[in-house]
């Protein structure tokens, strides 16, 4: 029933017999005959040729979904064959937000490509929600993130632990009351904030100060609001809502407001003296950074070797 599926799928991708025939290097009449033969074998038309451009029939939509499942199985077998070739060919697609793509992955990818120069590495940079969809669909092999993912759907390999800190512009008056709590960026870079003798900042001191929070639904935003509630029902005054930690951090550098940022990011930032950092002594301020991959999906040796490296 799936003989000639490549012809049908190419027509579906182009929604044009003429364009598909050029891609397949066959004549349009030959392609049309091959598709009609498939439709005759199925017993129903796959394409509605009365519209311009052509459209899929209801049965055609299901046939295409079935083709894609067959193609996924074929891809799994191709990955298996590539494994036998001792990693002389193959590819890996890794997804990451701007934070991890800019500051975490570069040294890992450099080491991996040095060890396996013939492997094609693709880095996909996007918001977490979009990356999650692509990981689920199979468009990504791995995704690095600090979110919590459904254990029933995804497996994970631990990479590191991240500690959230409060990042405050140095010129804010509240810093004068908190000198015994204040940390410099140099302290963060040597993990001074992880030492038990460093006290956690009382957040209520920052009532009335402007805050820069990530947008609703983001894990950093959820944790920030929970930390504020646990500190004594403190509700931050939000000046701006953003999509990336790095944007919030840089706006804090320019005095726009207070932000919540992880030490994974802060360790990579320049020491320009514009900010003061404070430890947050709440369970929600600590989270794991993991590499996620879809459960029960065949893991190629390329992906396995990358996970070994981390």
């Amino acid at each position: 029933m799936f003989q000639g599926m490549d012809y049908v799928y190419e027509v579906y991708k182009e929604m044009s017999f003429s364009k598909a025939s050029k891609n397949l290097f066959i004549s349009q009449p030959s392609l049309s005959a091959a598709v009609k033969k498939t439709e005759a074998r199925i017993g129903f038309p796959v394409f509605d040729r009365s519209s311009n451009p052509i459209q899929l029939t209801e049965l055609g939509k299901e046939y295409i979904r079935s083709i894609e499942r067959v193609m996924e199985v074929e891809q799994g077998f191709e990955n298996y064959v590539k494994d036998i070739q001792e990693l002389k060919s193959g590819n890996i697609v890794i997804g990451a937000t701007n934070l991890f793509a800019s500051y975490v992955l570069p040294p890992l990818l450099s080491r991996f490509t040095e060890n396996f120069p013939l492997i094609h590495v693709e880095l996909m940079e996007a918001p977490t929600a979009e990356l999650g969809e692509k990981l689920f669909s199979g468009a990504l092999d791995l995704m690095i993130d600090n979110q919590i993912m459904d254990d029933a759907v995804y497996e994970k390999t631990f990479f590191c632990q991240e500690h959230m800190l409060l990042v405050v512009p140095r010129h804010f008056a509240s810093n004068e009351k908190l000198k015994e709590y204040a940390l410099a960026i140099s302290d963060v870079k040597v993990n001074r904030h992880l030492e038990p003798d460093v006290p956690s900042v009382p957040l209520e001191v920052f009532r009335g100060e402007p805050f820069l929070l990530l947008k609703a639904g983001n894990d950093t935003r959820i944790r920030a609001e929970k930390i504020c509630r646990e500190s004594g029902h403190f509700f931050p005054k939000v000046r701006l809502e953003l999509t990336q930690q790095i944007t919030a951090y840089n706006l804090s550098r320019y005095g726009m407001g207070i932000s919540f940022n992880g030490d994974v990011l802060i360790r990579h930032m320049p020491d320009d003296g514009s900010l003061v950092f404070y430890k947050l002594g709440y369970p929600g301020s600590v989270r794991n950074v993991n590499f996620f991959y879809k459960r029960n999906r065949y893991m190629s040796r390329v992906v396995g070797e990358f996970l070994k490296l981390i």
Side-chain angles (χ1 to χ4, degrees):
M1 186 167 287
F2 293 103
Q3 292 177 359
M5 70 177 190
D6 292 341
Y7 293 148
V8 174
Y9 199 73
E10 192 65 32
V11 175
Y12 155 70
K13 287 197 301 181
E14 296 290 351
M15 283 304 173
S16 165
F17 278 89
S18 60
K19 290 180 181 178
S21 64
K22 291 179 182 177
N23 295 345
L24 294 166
F25 301 101
I26 62 173
S27 67
Q28 185 172 334
S30 298
L31 176 60
S32 180
V35 172
K36 285 181 178 179
K37 187 175 180 180
T38 298
E39 290 175 319
R41 191 181 302 114
I42 298 170
F44 293 92
V46 173
F47 296 104
D48 178 2
R49 295 166 174 79
S50 65
S51 60
N52 187 18
I54 59 172
Q55 300 293 325
L56 290 169
T57 62
E58 285 304 310
L59 183 138
K61 292 176 183 178
E62 183 58 34
Y63 186 69
I64 292 298
R65 283 192 286 268
S66 297
I67 286 177
E68 288 175 336
R69 288 194 288 270
V70 172
M71 291 169 69
E72 185 175 0
V73 172
E74 288 183 341
Q75 182 63 49
F77 182 71
E78 288 179 11
N79 287 336
Y80 176 78
V81 173
K82 288 175 182 176
D83 286 349
I84 297 175
Q85 295 173 339
E86 297 181 347
L87 296 178
K88 294 181 179 179
S89 65
N91 61 80
I92 183 171
V93 186
I94 304 173
T97 60
N98 176 270
L99 164 62
F100 296 110
S102 299
Y103 301 108
V104 175
L105 284 178
L108 296 176
L109 296 180
S110 177
R111 285 167 54 198
F112 184 76
T113 55
E114 183 178 345
N115 291 340
F116 304 103
L118 299 179
I119 301 299
H120 175 71
V121 178
E122 183 178 346
L123 176 58
M124 187 178 295
E125 190 175 346
T128 296
E130 183 180 339
L131 293 172
E133 292 174 2
K134 292 186 180 299
L135 185 64
F136 182 81
S137 71
L140 290 179
D141 295 305
L142 294 172
M143 167 186 168
I144 181 173
D145 207 88
N146 50 25
Q147 297 271 49
I148 296 174
M149 305 281 280
D150 188 350
D151 287 338
V153 181
Y154 305 102
E155 295 187 68
K156 62 193 175 190
T157 295
F158 175 78
F159 178 66
C160 71
Q161 201 169 61
E162 180 184 41
H163 295 77
M164 290 172 59
L165 295 163
L166 198 68
V167 180
V168 182
R170 183 169 292 280
H171 71 270
F172 277 23
S174 51
N175 292 313
E176 291 299 315
K177 307 172 187 177
L178 300 166
K179 290 183 178 179
E180 68 270 31
Y181 300 93
L183 296 168
I185 193 170
S186 57
D187 294 319
V188 178
K189 291 185 177 186
V190 296
N191 291 328
R192 176 87 175 92
H193 59 296
L194 303 183
E195 296 177 9
D197 64 316
V198 175
S200 302
V201 69
L203 285 177
E204 61 270 15
V205 176
F206 300 101
R207 290 184 190 276
E209 299 277 31
F211 275 74
L212 310 169
L213 298 185
L214 300 193
K215 291 186 176 180
N218 184 285
D219 185 68
T220 300
R221 171 67 174 267
I222 294 169
R223 289 173 182 268
E225 290 182 336
K226 183 179 179 183
I227 289 169
C228 289
R229 288 195 304 271
E230 291 176 351
S231 71
H233 300 288
F234 164 62
F235 298 96
K237 178 183 175 183
V238 182
R239 169 173 280 180
L240 285 174
E241 293 183 308
L242 308 159
T243 59
Q244 299 283 346
Q245 269 196 63
I246 182 64
T247 307
Y249 184 90
N250 283 325
L251 288 173
S252 289
R253 285 179 61 206
Y254 284 91
M256 289 289 291
I258 299 169
S259 60
F260 291 83
N261 280 274
D263 53 5
V264 170
L265 168 66
I266 296 168
R267 290 191 188 100
H268 292 87
M269 295 294 99
D271 188 357
D272 61 5
S274 63
L275 297 169
V276 181
F277 303 87
Y278 295 98
K279 180 177 179 178
L280 296 167
Y282 301 90
S285 65
V286 181
R287 58 188 173 187
N288 292 335
V289 177
N290 297 293
F291 278 90
F292 294 96
Y293 41 99
K294 195 173 180 183
R295 189 177 290 277
N296 298 325
R297 184 187 179 196
Y298 171 74
M299 180 183 286
S300 69
R301 268 193 64 199
V302 175
V303 175
E305 290 296 332
F306 184 87
L307 291 176
K308 284 181 185 178
L309 178 139
I310 68 168

